[in-house]
Amino acid sequence: MLNNIKGFRSFYTKATAFSLAIVFSVFLAVAHEHEHKNDGANTEDTAHAVAEADSNHATHAAGEAQHGEAHGTEKFDAGKMIMEHVADAHDWHLWGHTSIPLPVILYSSRGLAVFSSSKFEHGHADYNGYRLEHGHIVAVNENGSVNDEITASIWDISITKNTASLFISLVIMLLVFISVAKAYTRNPNSAPKGLQAVIEPLVIFVRDDVAKASIGPKYQKFMPFLLTVFFFIFINNLLGLVPVFPGGANLTGNIAITMSLAVFTFVITTINGTKDYWRHIVAMPGVPAWVLVLLTPIEILGVFLRPFVLMVRLFANITAGHIIALSFFSLIFIFGEMSPVAGLGVSVFSLAFTVFMTCMELLVAFLQAYVFTLLSAIYFGSAVEEHHHAEEHH
Amino acid sequence: MELVKPAFGLIFWMFVSFGIILFLLKKFAWKPILEMLDEREKTISDALNSAQKAKEEMAALKAGNEKLLQEARNERDQLLKEARDAKETIINEAKTKANEEANKLLAIARENISNEKMAAITELKNYVATLSIEIAEKVLKQELADANKQKELVQSLLKDTKLN
């Protein structure tokens, strides 16, 4: 037993070190890729079958691989592949050459432009004076050169893959929770059934263990936001783990989304802040003036730091999970390039680890939703808290 | 790096759609769900409370019943004892009375008997006397019917009679 644990521990340590090394090398590769800005997603197609069998990352990888084929070019670039799959895109890649084109909506000094992203032909064609360059839309002149002035004026509110995924997840939420609410109003005071029985423990968990515990008696006001955020993050984390459409977008691992959520938390905290809350920030009662000189800037910084940390934590956790899972897949291709046998051998190991990582990600999916909700609740709690005997506390 | 640069479009759509969803869910989902949960919890706690109360009442009732039963039992025992005592007394009294009555009757009977006896004896005496006289009369009549016999009797009588 002890030996087993020891064995597992050393195995785990090695595996962790190994995976860290891989992630590091991926980042290096990305940096490298950025320097050179070389176009072309390139890989050989030996491991297509293996890759297609598994997660969305693999599906994407296979797609990329086929892209590479189309180019007829050289090496598999793990960093590029991974970054393309944790980042946003203007079309929703399904498999092989098949992808769903999404609407491009641009407003620039040229005016409003709305068209399908299929017009870009995956970056191979200009359309309407715009060009898709490394996932970004830039304005081009008649002669094909990039027009920096107009590019700077572009407001890109295209429905990207993440935006589409956002809409899908929100529609799922609407359908699920309104139907659950209907179930409640239809059969009041009866035991929960079906979907209701799945949702109810989570709702009660958020209410009792998050809101009531952190905010106190005024928790009711914040319940709608806390519940919405909890389920939004949880559902999107889970959707991110689903390899095929409508899952697969890395929504909660997108900094724009986590930033928006953090801003919501920040705004709600700020507008609900009591006099006490602000007094504790600007001039902590019971603290000597010379300490305040030091403390007040820290407190004020803390006000902004809190949502910032919320944003980074969710983004980093989810993105890291995706990157690690993708890294294990890249191993297949990297070793497959050396020899097909090595690729096959590594695929067993990679698959096992990806399964393990996916299980971890299931835990993380819940954990991060919980942590974000809990911290938001704690911030709301500090905003509405009443210090009756503030002096005694300090 | 690309990853940590928030895209404007996504932020825009996120704010718009998340805001709408927050409003819709708040109105159509969370409000009814939370209300119903509260209501159900209240119902359950009320039901539990009333069950507890009923249990206590039952226990009190049971204790009361037990007490009543005990009292009834005691009372019954008391009544039985009293009845038994009364029975004894009545029987004893009856016995005494019966004895007395019997004795009285016996005494009367005895007196009557003695009275009757005396009367009978008296009557018998009288009758015997009368009968004797009649017999004597008849005997005398018969004996003295014959002159000789009369002389004989007188003779005998005279013979017995000593002349002092």
Side-chain angles (χ1 to χ4, degrees), chain A residues 24-25 62 65 173 210 228 249 261 271:
Chain A
F24 189 58
S25 65
M173 281 176 77
V210 176
T228 312
L261 288 172
I271 60 176

Side-chain angles (χ1 to χ4, degrees), chain B residues 4 11 23 26 30 32-33 44 60 66-67 91 96 99 101 110 114 121 124 133-134 145 149 152 164:
Chain B
V4 291
I11 295 175
F23 172 76
K26 184 180 174 179
W30 305 134
I33 290 175
I44 290 171
E66 202 70 20
K67 210 175 134 207
I91 288 173
T96 326
N99 271 345
E101 204 73 13
R110 229 172 253 138
S114 79
I121 287 172
L124 201 63
I133 291 165
E134 275 177 14
K149 281 223 180 151
E152 223 172 277
N164 288 339

Side-chain angles (χ1 to χ4, degrees), chain A residues 27 83 136 155-159 162-163 166-167 170 174 177 181 189-190 200 207 223-224 227-228 231-232 254-257 259-261 263-264 315, chain B residues 1-15 17-19 21-22 24-26 28-30 32-34 36-41 43:
Chain A
F27 273 100
M83 281 308 137
H136 282 284
W155 292 100
D156 181 1
I157 51 166
S158 306
I159 308 297
N162 277 337
T163 316
L166 168 73
F167 291 161
L170 293 179
L174 267 186
F177 295 115
N189 294 332
S190 63
E200 188 176 311
R207 189 192 62 183
M223 277 308 286
L227 283 169
T228 312
F231 283 108
F232 177 80
N254 188 295
I255 196 115
I257 295 295
M259 192 180 94
S260 308
L261 288 172
V263 166
F264 269 102
F315 157 74
Chain B
M1 229 168 77
E2 194 56 42
L3 268 183
V4 291
K5 212 166 78 189
F8 169 76
L10 201 47
I11 295 175
F12 171 79
W13 288 116
M14 176 67 183
F15 269 94
S17 56
F18 194 83
I21 289 296
L22 193 57
L24 288 178
L25 285 182
K26 184 180 174 179
F28 297 113
W30 305 134
I33 290 175
L34 290 171
M36 286 294 161
L37 276 179
D38 280 346
E39 200 184 305
R40 197 170 72 204
E41 271 159 22
T43 315

